[in-house]
Amino acid sequence: RKEVEQDPGPFNVPEGATVAFNCTYSNSASQSFFWYRQDCRKEPKLLMSVYSSGNEDGRFTAQLNRASQYISLLIRDSKLSDSATYLCVVTIGAGNTPLVFGKGTRLSVIA
Amino acid sequence: NAGVTQTPKFRVLKTGQSMTLLCAQDMNHEYMYWYRQDPGMGLRLIHYSVGEGTTAKGEVPDGYNVSRLKKQNFLLGLESAAPSQTSVYFCASIGFTGTGVEQYFGPGTRLTVT
């Protein structure tokens, strides 16, 4: 089993839609969880950390379910500028390093 | 890129040649990482460092060596380049503050081995 698995995508959604990305991780000792965004031919950029209680940043909501080893990212009211690849990232051990990336889910928001 | 730079940005090598990629950060971060990204494979960890003078192997370390002689620099070396090492290489720098985590990637190095 891969350490971090994501929906393969791609997701093509109209502007204004709500879209959800899911991610599962295999190491139950993992402690830190993140969502990154990567635009075509650019470096990944941290979108948000994921906390046990769930957290929200504007139109973005991240959830963590430790029992199921599952992470999600919800984007509400999608914008054209949200088009990118979204990467689920997990620390694979009991410490905070190293980071392991999922393969990413590509999102295209269509006008 | 909030203080993470990579040198060079592009490079073409012939099989068997060697080169060193330089990653530099000015944020006093302890952790630095080297990843490679290939189509359909996502980002894969090559080597990483949790502090000056320390290095560790990641998922795909074969064919690469690293050094962290200074805290701000993390070097990735290819002693004898192979076509399979054609990829985009990203360096990352991570630091933990009292309020959270800072994570930044460099702009990448596009390497082609012919």
Side-chain angles (χ1 to χ4, degrees), chain A residues 2-3 32-34 36 38 40-46 49 51 85 87 89 91-92 96-104, chain B residues 1 10 31 33 35 37 40-43 45 48-50 59 90 92 94 96 99-108 110:
Chain A
K2 294 290 287 183
E3 295 192 69
S32 299
F33 311 90
F34 310 95
Y36 271 72
Q38 186 175 25
C40 188
R41 299 182 68 81
K42 296 286 189 180
E43 72 276 16
K45 292 186 177 179
L46 178 63
S49 300
Y51 302 117
T85 296
L87 304 165
V89 183
T91 57
I92 63 170
N96 281 309
T97 188
L99 301 176
V100 176
F101 284 74
K103 291 185 180 181
Chain B
N1 296 321
F10 303 93
Y31 301 101
Y33 305 77
Y35 291 89
Q37 187 172 35
M41 298 296 292
L43 281 130
L45 182 64
Y48 64 101
S49 170
V50 299
E59 180 186 357
F90 288 106
I94 295 174
F96 295 91
T99 55
V101 60
E102 295 181 337
Q103 302 180 17
Y104 296 104
F105 276 74
R110 285 170 170 73

Side-chain angles (χ1 to χ4, degrees), chain A residues 63-95:
Chain A
Q63 298 276 355
L64 168 64
N65 184 323
R66 286 188 182 273
S68 301
Q69 294 179 206
Y70 172 92
I71 306 160
S72 66
L73 176 68
L74 186 75
I75 305 177
R76 292 181 298 279
D77 188 22
S78 300
K79 311 292 185 189
L80 295 175
S81 58
D82 293 333
S83 296
T85 296
Y86 290 83
L87 304 165
C88 175
V89 183
V90 174
T91 57
I92 63 170

